[in-house]
Amino acid sequence: MNHNVADSDCESTEPLRYLSKDEAVAMETELLRDYRFGQQQLTEILGHACAVAITKAFPLGTLGKRQPTVLVVCGPDQNGCIGLSCARHLRVFEYMPTVFYPKRSANSLQQDFTVQCERMDIPFLSYLPTEVQLINDAYNLIVDAVLGLETELGEAEEPFTNIILTLQGVKIPIVSLDIPSGWDNDKSSTDGISPSVLVSLMAPKKCALGFSGTHFLAGRFLPYDIQKKYDLNLPKFSGTDCITELQ
Amino acid sequence: MNHNVADSDCESTEPLRYLSKDEAVAMETELLRDYRFGQQQLTEILGHACAVAITKAFPLGTLGKRQPTVLVVCGPDQNGCIGLSCARHLRVFEYMPTVFYPKRSANSLQQDFTVQCERMDIPFLSYLPTEVQLINDAYNLIVDAVLGLETELGEAEEPFTNIILTLQGVKIPIVSLDIPSGWDNDKSSTDGISPSVLVSLMAPKKCALGFSGTHFLAGRFLPYDIQKKYDLNLPKFSGTDCITELQ
């Protein structure tokens, strides 16, 4: 019987690495191609972990409004699909998510996660009020799943530039998934939206350097070889936790 | 804005239902076809939840052997694939799983989950010792992911009948996923293997009625409509837990 002891001693005293856009894209390509992870699987893992992070940052019972309402704003690509998965898990955790998903992808992955939300009776908004006070009044917080690694603001078409302008004006807290929408992946930003919570997916990106809000790392599944290849120096996750807070 | 309050009040005082094989198959078909869940997604959710259940039943540090070894025995179908997913999550949780997967499926889902394990440096056995003492000595526990809903013993080809005979002889604890291998779905069994822990997937099956070991329910994602349609009367899950122990 072969009992090679796989090396689990990946926790390092070296500092956590913040990936450039090129590195993050290369790592994900490798996960899908060589490690044979699936998009559906990663979307499920990451959306679940984002929802868990939200329960830590904004526990039920500490929310200001009578109902535990959350507005999840989803973009057209992968970040938006993780937002759909996150919304469904928030519903399971007894929050009341509402989804705004203005530009639905024809991709079957996105369609499947959309139907899953619809069949959980999660309401979908047909438009986002430009009057931010309506948003401030209706929701406890916003999940920003608009733009991620694969789309930056310059490339984003309408209605996303306007949506980001609206999100810049809201007073309720914003939780951004992976990259605050409108920020460049490779540098931190002072203009654009200003999330109070950032959930980095798999590994933090360069734009998160200097982020001063609450910062979670979500997605505890990276094979050790890929952690080493990209020198991630991930922190230790506790017990069976799928997220960890970064200091 | 549409703020229909979806009904989250699914916890019931009615007794938990134990599904027949036909009901369980019908529910899963509906989840895949109408609710648009994917096989990859369900395998990931359920394998993860089974690993979490194992950490509760057999915490690291309470295991008798020096190394936290676990033998995961995987059958050719869906139950085996959930076993592969479980093995990978056990590795992430710092256990030392070894997989025995004697009859590999040509299905790409199974192949992907196999590669994911291999790339996590999880060893695969080429044969199962018929001398049970070797198994008792090498591992703390066995995960039985051999046969599930879709295959019963009568239908199982070699080598599975012999594997089940071997598992009947081991002295270390067995954790069965969904249905103890060799049991009929619809009735409890006194012959066949005798697991100390049973992890029911999504909803318990009729064979679990009267099971006297530690019994977990894994998989907290079922849409409320399907819970109601099948009168599941699921117990409440705590916080963001993906499992709950049944009494």
Side-chain angles (χ1 to χ4, degrees):
Chain A
M1 278 184 278
N2 172 10
H3 275 128
N4 288 330
V5 179
D7 178 11
S8 70
D9 192 15
C10 276
E11 293 101 38
S12 166
T13 53
E14 295 293 308
L16 183 64
R17 272 204 61 217
Y18 288 68
L19 298 181
S20 70
K21 175 172 182 170
D22 289 348
E23 289 169 321
V25 168
M27 187 174 84
E28 186 167 336
T29 302
E30 216 168 311
L31 274 176
L32 295 169
R33 187 191 55 203
D34 302 336
Y35 289 81
R36 300 274 285 274
F37 282 89
Q39 284 283 10
Q40 191 186 68
Q41 184 180 18
L42 296 185
T43 303
E44 181 66 22
I45 294 172
L46 296 173
H48 170 261
C50 289
V52 171
I54 290 165
T55 70
K56 297 286 180 248
F58 302 99
L60 278 177
T62 67
L63 300 170
K65 305 210 160 55
R66 202 172 57 86
Q67 306 270 26
T69 52
V70 178
L71 177 61
V72 185
V73 185
C74 298
D77 298 317
Q78 192 179 351
N79 206 257
C81 200
I82 294 168
L84 294 169
S85 170
C86 174
R88 182 168 48 81
H89 286 285
L90 284 174
R91 187 71 198 81
V92 169
F93 299 151
E94 302 182 5
Y95 288 71
M96 283 176 56
T98 292
V99 170
F100 180 52
Y101 182 33
K103 201 168 172 186
R104 299 196 178 193
S105 168
N107 185 320
S108 72
L109 183 79
Q110 265 88 345
Q111 290 184 348
D112 287 347
F113 280 91
T114 304
V115 173
Q116 290 169 24
C117 282
E118 290 171 341
R119 300 288 312 245
M120 283 289 278
D121 291 329
I122 294 173
F124 280 64
L125 292 185
S126 52
Y127 68 97
L128 188 70
T130 48
E131 183 59 72
V132 293
Q133 194 53 42
L134 290 173
I135 300 174
N136 294 335
D137 290 345
Y139 303 101
N140 294 280
L141 60 131
I142 292 176
V143 177
D144 157 31
V146 181
L147 303 178
L149 205 55
E150 74 287 351
T151 331
E152 290 173 3
L153 187 57
E155 308 156 24
E157 298 165 46
E158 288 308 329
F160 296 105
T161 41
N162 275 332
I163 288 170
I164 291 170
L165 279 175
T166 302
L167 296 187
Q168 286 176 20
V170 298
K171 294 273 179 287
I172 54 177
I174 295 177
V175 179
S176 285
L177 306 192
D178 210 26
I179 295 172
S181 294
W183 289 27
D184 185 292
N185 178 73
D186 287 351
K187 47 184 186 283
S188 61
S189 172
T190 47
D191 50 321
I193 70 167
S194 181
S196 48
V197 177
L198 176 61
V199 186
S200 289
L201 306 181
M202 302 195 272
K205 313 305 179 298
K206 279 195 187 300
C207 63
L209 269 166
F211 176 72
S212 60
T214 306
H215 189 185
F216 291 101
L217 179 65
R220 182 188 183 183
F221 68 93
L222 287 180
Y224 304 112
D225 284 352
I226 213 162
Q227 293 185 33
K228 281 181 184 159
K229 177 166 177 181
Y230 289 90
D231 288 325
L232 297 183
N233 302 318
L234 295 182
K236 193 168 168 57
F237 288 75
S238 171
T240 58
D241 288 359
C242 61
I243 58 162
T244 187
E245 189 172 344
L246 301 174
Q247 300 303 331
Chain B
M1 282 185 275
N2 173 9
H3 275 127
N4 288 332
V5 179
D7 179 12
S8 70
D9 192 14
C10 277
E11 294 102 36
S12 165
T13 52
E14 295 293 309
L16 183 64
R17 272 206 59 220
Y18 288 69
L19 298 181
S20 70
K21 177 172 179 167
D22 289 348
E23 288 169 324
V25 168
M27 188 176 82
E28 186 168 335
T29 302
E30 214 168 312
L31 274 175
L32 295 169
R33 186 191 57 205
D34 302 335
Y35 290 81
R36 299 274 285 274
F37 281 89
Q39 284 283 10
Q40 190 185 69
Q41 183 180 19
L42 296 186
T43 304
E44 181 66 23
I45 294 172
L46 296 173
H48 170 261
C50 288
V52 171
I54 290 166
T55 70
K56 297 286 179 252
F58 302 99
L60 278 176
T62 67
L63 300 170
K65 305 208 161 55
R66 202 172 57 85
Q67 307 269 27
T69 52
V70 179
L71 178 61
V72 185
V73 185
C74 298
D77 298 316
Q78 192 179 352
N79 207 255
C81 200
I82 294 167
L84 293 169
S85 170
C86 173
R88 181 167 50 79
H89 287 285
L90 284 174
R91 185 74 198 80
V92 169
F93 299 152
E94 301 182 7
Y95 289 71
M96 284 177 53
T98 293
V99 170
F100 179 52
Y101 182 35
K103 200 167 174 185
R104 299 196 180 195
S105 168
N107 185 318
S108 73
L109 182 80
Q110 265 89 345
Q111 291 184 349
D112 288 347
F113 280 91
T114 304
V115 173
Q116 291 168 22
C117 281
E118 289 170 342
R119 300 288 313 245
M120 283 289 277
D121 291 330
I122 294 173
F124 280 63
L125 292 186
S126 53
Y127 68 97
L128 188 71
T130 48
E131 184 60 71
V132 293
Q133 194 54 43
L134 290 172
I135 299 174
N136 294 334
D137 290 346
Y139 304 100
N140 294 280
L141 61 131
I142 293 176
V143 177
D144 156 30
V146 180
L147 303 177
L149 204 56
E150 75 287 351
T151 333
E152 290 174 5
L153 187 57
E155 310 156 23
E157 297 165 47
E158 287 309 328
F160 296 106
T161 42
N162 276 330
I163 288 170
I164 291 170
L165 280 174
T166 301
L167 296 186
Q168 286 177 19
V170 298
K171 294 275 181 285
I172 53 176
I174 295 177
V175 178
S176 286
L177 307 191
D178 209 25
I179 295 172
S181 295
W183 289 26
D184 185 293
N185 178 73
D186 287 351
K187 49 182 183 287
S188 62
S189 173
T190 48
D191 49 320
I193 70 167
S194 181
S196 48
V197 177
L198 176 62
V199 186
S200 288
L201 306 181
M202 304 194 271
K205 313 305 178 298
K206 280 195 187 300
C207 64
L209 270 167
F211 176 72
S212 61
T214 306
H215 189 188
F216 292 102
L217 178 65
R220 182 188 183 180
F221 68 94
L222 287 180
Y224 303 111
D225 283 353
I226 212 163
Q227 292 186 33
K228 282 182 186 158
K229 176 166 178 183
Y230 289 89
D231 288 325
L232 297 183
N233 303 320
L234 295 182
K236 192 168 168 58
F237 289 74
S238 170
T240 59
D241 288 358
C242 60
I243 58 162
T244 187
E245 189 172 345
L246 302 174
Q247 299 305 328

